[in-house]
Amino acid sequence: MARTRRERVKSFINNRWLVFVAAMWIQSCAGIGYLFGSISPVIKSSLNYNQKQLSRLGVAKDLGDSVGFLAGTLSEILPLWAALLVGSVQNLVGYGWVWLIVTGRAPILPLWAMCILIFVGNNGETYFNTATLVSGVQNFPKSRGPVVGILKGFAGLGGAILSQVYTMIHSSDRASLIFMVAVAPSVVVVPLMFFIRPVGGHRQIRSSDATSFTIIYAVCILLAAYLMAVMLVEDFIDLSHSIITAFTIVLFAILLVPIFIPIATSCFTASTNPCDTLEEPLVGNQQSQDPGQSTTPDHGPELILSEVEDEKPKEVDLLPALERHKRIAQLQAKLMQAAAKGAVRVKRRRGPHRGEDFTLTQALVKADFWLIFFSLLLGSGSGLTVIDNLGQMSQSLGYDNTHVFVSMISIWNFLGRIGGGYFSELIVRDYAYPRPVAIAVAQLVMSVGHIFFAYGWPGAMHIGTLLIGLGYGAHWAIVPATASELFGLKKFGALYNFLTLANPAGSLVFSGLIASSIYDREAERQAQGSLFNPDDVLRCRGSICYFLTSLIMSGFCLIAAALSMILVQRTKSVYTNLYGKTRS
């Protein structure tokens, strides 16, 4: 009996679902950057910054959130828990110092030093993202889309969760939100960091996995719906502090529900039919190979398969799955016979093909990689500009309670990531169609959202945050999964962290150069036509403040969608080969 209990405890500790649930909880406080729209007005008023100076802090925040080379490198040479610890320390030091300055407990620093502090604080997110995503895709190699979507989704929801906790605290000091941003991630990450690790997930495949994912999705939808309902109730009704506290307790209860999945799978391990547990090979022959995994480079059959790609007629890819694999097998057999007789010289490849393991250097010379990068730069960069300027955008349209829209876009961002991972997985699994088509759809949705912000129609803030949040969030579920399929899992951390550089690059152009300049110019024009105290902070009123900026970003989203469709055309045969066999 004692032995059975020990076995169950061991099974629970090494359960990949436990790692996944712990990763979800860590990611729920990894999206602190999305609260910048709530803390930026406090920083602006306390330090007497103009919009251009505040935008520079926003760019520093975006750089910190995206420059993850150090996080990617450390995740390869250190245990994942150590990388998480480094991220916690950075977050605490960076935002903690900002809080000390804003509250007058530390001397005011020049703008460049404030940018460094914001960068260091937000850079902690890259360690959380890298560690959880690396463990996730390694433990669930057959379910990358849902896993990435759910993990990135919880990062997007972090802003709404922390906003609700802040509402419960009921502090009249707006600077206390900065303190919570500094402390909350460490409180969550440090107790959970030792659970985040690869646990041989490919050996834990069960028939109940589909049910487990369904439960996770149900929890995600319930969580988003609950937060949205609570936020609307708190916005329109003056509630007592005890009711707000009760709402927050229920929120934490919903977050705890997924822990029953590893408990259930571990408790019933002993009574489970051994045939119900399958082992999924991480590296195998081409017919059973998982998408994104490479075969051994020196094997003869792989070289023959390389020749098959060069020799097969293009119409083969259009055939039904069974007929296609039959024709490819016949061509491969002929090439192997010819090579054995010396009639055909098999070429040695100079590098991996799509779907195999690339290093970052090898990926940087591929057009597909740069299509993903620039599509992400234009699409997610415009979305991040809205997130960073949401406080000023809502104020310009006459809204005082800016944190409501920050919470709303956080929830839509969450649902976009969950939905992006789920629906893109349906596209590749059911139709063997390239996943980037889902990115193009998300970018078209964002283009419409920017139009609503531009014209400031009634309800524009609500509809705009909905469309931008969904579209922006979908990027971060679809792009990592796409990169792992086209360029492999071996160097996924480095590849992912390079692609995230597109985010601050887009924000630098849209927010740091375009949005801030247009806003300040319009604010100065309005100030000249009214009584204005030079000591006051410049403020712009009306939809004109972001009209031109939003139109520009809408156009760039259309260009991003076109780049995504070019990538779709280039990778059709790749996805047919990777996923076509699952439909046969």
Side-chain angles (χ1 to χ4, degrees), residues 68-382:
F69 290 124
L70 183 57
T73 301
L74 288 180
S75 67
E76 293 180 1
I77 62 177
L78 293 177
L80 294 181
W81 66 264
L84 289 168
L85 181 60
V86 172
S88 299
V89 172
Q90 281 195 205
N91 180 83
L92 180 62
V93 171
Y95 277 109
W97 203 333
V98 171
W99 174 73
L100 292 174
I101 292 172
V102 169
T103 56
R105 292 176 171 84
I108 296 177
L109 298 178
L111 180 61
W112 63 266
M114 291 295 295
C115 288
I116 291 176
L117 289 179
I118 294 290
F119 173 88
V120 170
N122 226 60
N123 191 244
E125 288 186 29
T126 63
Y127 294 87
F128 306 153
N129 280 316
T130 301
T132 55
L133 288 178
V134 167
S135 66
V137 295
Q138 289 182 354
N139 289 333
F140 294 87
K142 284 285 189 182
S143 305
R144 299 178 206 178
V147 166
V148 172
I150 291 168
L151 290 179
K152 293 296 290 183
F154 270 87
L157 197 63
I161 294 173
L162 291 177
S163 290
Q164 179 60 29
V165 174
Y166 175 75
T167 303
M168 182 189 68
I169 294 173
H170 197 61
S171 173
S172 58
D173 180 14
R174 295 291 295 176
S176 60
L177 180 58
I178 304 176
F179 178 79
M180 191 174 69
V181 166
V183 173
S186 297
V187 172
V188 176
V189 171
V190 172
L192 296 174
M193 61 187 182
F194 292 106
F195 292 103
I196 306 301
R197 68 211 190 281
V199 290
H202 61 294
R203 299 186 181 92
Q204 299 184 30
I205 308 300
R206 293 181 180 277
S207 58
S208 61
D209 284 349
T211 303
S212 298
F213 272 115
T214 300
I215 294 172
I216 295 291
Y217 276 123
V219 170
C220 291
I221 294 172
L222 175 62
L223 186 61
Y226 178 77
L227 276 170
M228 178 64 73
V230 167
M231 181 195 64
L232 292 175
V233 170
E234 292 175 349
D235 188 38
F236 291 108
I237 302 176
D238 188 14
L239 301 174
S240 66
H241 184 257
S242 59
I243 294 178
I244 294 175
T245 302
F247 282 161
T248 308
I249 292 173
V250 173
L251 170 63
F252 286 130
I254 296 174
L255 286 171
L256 289 173
V257 168
I259 194 61
F260 290 104
I261 294 175
I263 291 175
T265 55
S266 299
C267 287
F268 293 105
T269 297
S271 58
T272 300
N273 186 339
C275 297
D276 189 46
T277 302
L278 306 175
E279 179 169 345
E280 175 184 290
L282 285 178
V283 178
N285 58 47
Q286 187 72 12
Q287 296 300 320
S288 62
Q289 187 181 337
D290 181 40
Q293 299 291 339
S294 67
T295 51
T296 308
D298 294 330
H299 286 181
E302 185 192 5
L303 297 174
I304 294 296
L305 287 172
S306 176
E307 297 298 315
V308 169
E309 289 295 318
D310 297 333
E311 297 294 334
K312 72 178 180 182
K314 291 184 178 180
E315 59 268 18
V316 170
D317 289 329
L318 304 177
L319 295 172
L322 284 174
E323 180 64 22
R324 182 177 64 253
H325 289 302
K326 182 178 178 182
R327 292 280 296 276
I328 290 175
Q330 292 172 349
L331 181 57
Q332 179 184 351
K334 292 179 181 179
L335 282 171
M336 292 181 69
Q337 292 175 0
K341 296 177 181 178
V344 173
R345 177 177 295 177
V346 179
K347 296 180 291 185
R348 287 275 167 180
R349 296 185 319 177
R350 296 182 178 179
H353 284 162
R354 294 187 187 104
E356 300 175 1
D357 287 322
F358 282 71
T359 64
L360 178 59
T361 304
Q362 290 170 331
L364 287 175
V365 299
K366 297 297 181 180
D368 294 342
F369 189 81
W370 289 107
L371 282 171
I372 296 174
F373 182 88
F374 284 110
S375 174
L376 189 61
L377 184 150
L378 297 174
S380 71
S382 68

